[in-house]
Amino acid sequence: MPKSPGGALLSGFDIDRMSPVPIYRQLDASLRRLILKGTLSPGQKLPSTRELATDLGVSRITVKSVYEQLVAEGYAQAKTGAGTFISKGLDFEATPRIRSARRKPTPPEVEISDRARTIMSSKASARHGKTDPFRPGVPALDLFPVKVWDKYMMEAMTCHERHNLSYGQVNGSAALRRSIANHLTDARGMQVDPDQIVITSGAQQAFVLIAFVLLKKGDTVWYENPGHIAGRDVMQIMGANVAPVPIDDEGMDLSHAQDNHPTPTLIFTTPSHQQPLGTTMSLVRRLSLLNYAHDNDAWIIEDDYDSEFRYRGRPLPALSALDSKRRVFYVGTFSKSMFASMRLGYIVVPPGLVETFAKARNLLGQSSSAVVEQALSRFMEDGRFVEHIRKMRRIYRERRDVLFDCLMNDCAAYLTPQTTDAGMHMLGWLKNGLDDQVAHRALLAAGIESLPLSVYCLEPVGRPAIVLGFSCAPAARIPKLVKRMAAVLRDLS
Ligand SMILES: Cc1ncc(COP(=O)(O)O)c(C=O)c1O
């Protein structure tokens, strides 16, 4: 039962007026049962005698005498002026029968649908809370300017007569869509009408929405192999035939795809920084991809998840910026540039489909938080977003360099590090026949959170590697961590 400053609601119990058991005894027995079951937890406040008496339609004196009895027996404590609280330190371990009744029952084996089976086979890991260094894709959360952000959040909660505490707009607030459109013009060379943007709860929801709207069972989706795991699993769950497309030096190998797979409804790609190999798709390949999509009525998802972080030269404009035929769904996220629990991302939707996407967004969770949307749009308008990205870019570049140097110094016997011009992770190609899953598990046991390349693969790519995120590891800690890695890999070798 959640703790509430005003006391527990006790909404589940009722008084049976037809029962021969007196009301006093019924109330007393119900409260004891809740205390012993742990539903009313130690320290939790009981409702005031007045409130409970009104809720149950009984006299206040009855409630008062039940409370007094519980206090007299040590189940509860009365604090003058504050109320009655369940006693702390009650030894529930001494009541084994009730303990075991509280244990969750094992869920029965249930067969719901083919879709449920596909969902259960997903390899996408649910992440939350603390992660160990070098988990890929995790920004430097300790460096996020929380005090500044807090100011924007407070402002967003209290302004406009608190309108933001209601539902947000299904396609996202006009202000945030404008801020994003401006940012995309400035940073990605795209000309975007804010009305083409649909705000989502992160890029993952964008993939779900696109698959939900576009895919029919049995449709083919060309998907980069290796590729982003959770996006791929969504396509499969929606009943698509996900066709793995290898990556060469220029990006997705379109000739291979055309020779080996049926014409797709949808093509999923990460052209700025291939996830996870790090390749940037060449201009020639981008144009071929756009032409192919146009000629074959295929749609493209451009997942531009970490393009803010480029360390050398100017980034190529987004694929979407070249898309005169309007076949691209451009997907962006704030999970890497800001923090993931913000749960904000967006789709730039090709014209003619915006209304459908807004309706679909409504069905899949209504809207994002209007409070967070406003805080973010002001944060962007005031230049704070770009300021944060610039700072992180400097820090991540340093972390990347330190990690690469340390891997070269200490781990070269076990892996070949492959540095990167962009993003938040690099690859370590394993040597000596080391298996990437085995290496991943051994490193994890030593507090190092790499990911094995094979989990990104629908088909094996031939060479084992681990993916190492450098953005979340402070530079000063990296040398020691890499020495620990070397020791683990030495033992495995
Ligand atoms: C390549 C890629 N795309 C998209 C996402 C999804 O991000 P989110 O749903 O947090 O916006 C991730 C998350 O790790 C990712 O690695």
Side-chain angles (χ1 to χ4, degrees):
M1 192 170 287
K3 290 202 171 155
S4 112
L9 293 174
L10 300 182
S11 48
F13 78 67
D14 229 341
I15 296 295
D16 181 359
R17 284 167 209 289
M18 306 302 284
S19 166
V21 181
I23 287 175
Y24 169 88
R25 289 225 176 285
Q26 288 187 45
L27 182 54
D28 183 69
S30 297
L31 283 172
R32 276 166 206 271
R33 209 166 30 245
L34 292 179
I35 296 170
L36 286 172
K37 270 168 59 187
T39 314
L40 279 169
S41 53
Q44 187 161 12
K45 189 177 177 187
L46 289 169
S48 71
T49 51
R50 187 193 308 275
E51 275 165 352
L52 190 55
T54 312
D55 285 353
L56 297 176
V58 301
S59 92
R60 196 170 162 204
I61 294 170
T62 307
V63 178
K64 240 176 132 184
S65 44
V66 169
Y67 278 18
E68 278 165 9
Q69 186 60 34
L70 290 173
V71 170
E73 290 180 31
Y75 283 94
Q77 286 175 331
K79 294 187 191 166
T80 318
T84 307
F85 295 80
I86 305 303
S87 299
K88 288 187 179 158
L90 285 181
D91 186 5
F92 291 113
E93 296 299 335
T95 56
R97 192 181 54 78
I98 289 159
R99 269 266 134 197
S100 64
R102 283 179 67 197
R103 218 175 285 136
K104 270 199 179 151
T106 322
E109 289 282 316
V110 281
E111 191 69 21
I112 308 166
S113 63
D114 287 350
R115 177 165 291 173
R117 238 192 325 267
T118 321
I119 289 170
M120 291 312 290
S121 69
S122 168
K123 291 209 177 67
S125 46
R127 281 184 251 171
H128 88 104
K130 181 180 168 294
T131 45
D132 284 326
F134 302 112
R135 171 91 198 190
V138 180
L141 298 175
D142 53 330
L143 298 177
F144 186 77
V146 282
K147 288 212 172 107
V148 177
W149 179 248
D150 184 46
K151 188 176 83 74
Y152 286 94
M153 285 289 285
M154 272 315 287
E155 211 175 273
M157 275 199 282
T158 47
C159 78
H160 300 318
E161 297 171 353
R162 303 196 173 179
H163 286 170
N164 287 336
L165 301 189
S166 182
Y167 289 107
Q169 246 174 276
V170 289
N171 52 341
S173 79
L176 180 58
R177 289 184 284 112
R178 241 185 347 260
S179 304
I180 291 172
N182 289 339
H183 173 68
L184 291 176
T185 305
D186 183 35
R188 308 298 292 124
M190 293 162 62
Q191 293 305 321
V192 177
D193 177 348
D195 287 343
Q196 270 176 267
I197 295 176
V198 173
I199 305 291
T200 59
S201 295
Q204 183 61 19
Q205 194 188 47
F207 307 146
V208 174
L209 267 173
I210 296 168
F212 184 58
V213 172
L214 297 185
L215 292 180
K216 294 189 305 299
K217 195 168 164 42
D219 279 356
T220 295
V221 176
W222 287 1
Y223 206 92
E224 293 178 335
N225 186 66
H228 176 49
I229 306 159
R232 179 188 70 206
D233 290 354
V234 164
M235 307 298 151
Q236 281 178 331
I237 287 160
M238 292 296 181
N241 156 38
V242 178
V245 180
I247 311 296
D248 64 20
D249 289 347
E250 295 193 67
M252 240 183 161
D253 186 344
L254 299 180
S255 312
H256 179 281
Q258 286 174 77
D259 291 346
N260 290 280
H261 302 306
T263 307
T265 306
L266 191 58
I267 302 170
F268 184 101
T269 181
T270 46
S272 302
H273 184 234
Q274 204 278 329
Q275 169 77 322
L277 297 180
T279 319
T280 303
M281 191 183 279
S282 70
L283 185 57
V284 172
R285 190 65 60 82
R286 286 170 192 240
L287 295 172
S288 308
L289 176 58
L290 290 169
N291 286 332
Y292 177 87
H294 178 245
D295 295 345
N296 293 278
D297 291 333
W299 298 103
I300 298 169
I301 294 180
E302 175 178 20
D303 177 13
D304 210 23
Y305 62 108
D306 67 0
S307 63
E308 287 86 2
F309 304 116
R310 178 153 280 275
Y311 311 112
R312 198 164 63 100
R314 291 193 64 74
L316 277 180
L319 179 69
S320 181
L322 302 168
D323 175 28
S324 54
K325 317 273 172 42
R326 306 301 183 93
R327 304 304 301 176
V328 177
F329 289 86
Y330 177 93
V331 174
T333 176
F334 292 94
S335 292
K336 315 293 176 191
S337 52
M338 301 269 284
F339 57 91
S341 78
M342 176 181 283
R343 301 317 299 141
L344 279 184
Y346 53 93
I347 319 175
V348 181
V349 178
L353 282 168
V354 176
E355 188 72 4
T356 314
F357 271 77
K359 285 212 174 224
R361 173 73 182 91
N362 191 24
L363 292 173
L364 294 183
Q366 229 277 336
S367 69
S368 295
S369 155
V371 172
V372 184
E373 285 186 1
Q374 179 179 315
L376 179 58
S377 71
R378 297 264 165 94
F379 192 83
M380 292 177 87
E381 267 171 42
D382 289 354
R384 298 286 192 177
F385 179 62
V386 170
E387 177 185 56
H388 180 61
I389 287 172
R390 286 218 171 96
K391 183 173 166 199
M392 291 304 105
R393 217 182 268 156
R394 276 197 309 277
I395 287 165
Y396 295 169
R397 182 193 285 121
E398 186 198 5
R399 292 180 177 188
R400 175 202 64 171
D401 293 343
V402 175
L403 177 59
F404 181 78
D405 290 347
C406 290
L407 289 172
M408 288 300 282
N409 285 337
D410 295 320
C411 288
Y414 318 111
L415 56 77
T416 305
Q418 176 187 310
T419 193
T420 176
D421 288 338
M424 303 157 78
H425 67 263
M426 68 173 70
L427 266 79
W429 295 99
L430 294 170
K431 296 180 177 176
N432 314 330
L434 275 175
D435 180 86
D436 62 4
Q437 304 265 357
V438 172
H440 155 73
R441 280 196 295 273
L443 289 168
L444 195 58
I448 289 167
E449 213 175 341
S450 66
L451 279 179
L453 179 61
S454 51
V455 299
Y456 295 85
C457 296
L458 210 52
E459 271 179 359
V461 287
R463 290 173 70 197
I466 50 174
V467 183
L468 294 159
F470 47 80
S471 45
C472 61
R477 283 189 64 205
I478 292 177
K480 210 164 150 193
L481 288 163
V482 172
K483 286 204 188 312
R484 200 191 304 164
M485 270 182 75
V488 171
L489 296 175
R490 187 183 318 118
D491 286 351
L492 288 179
S493 295

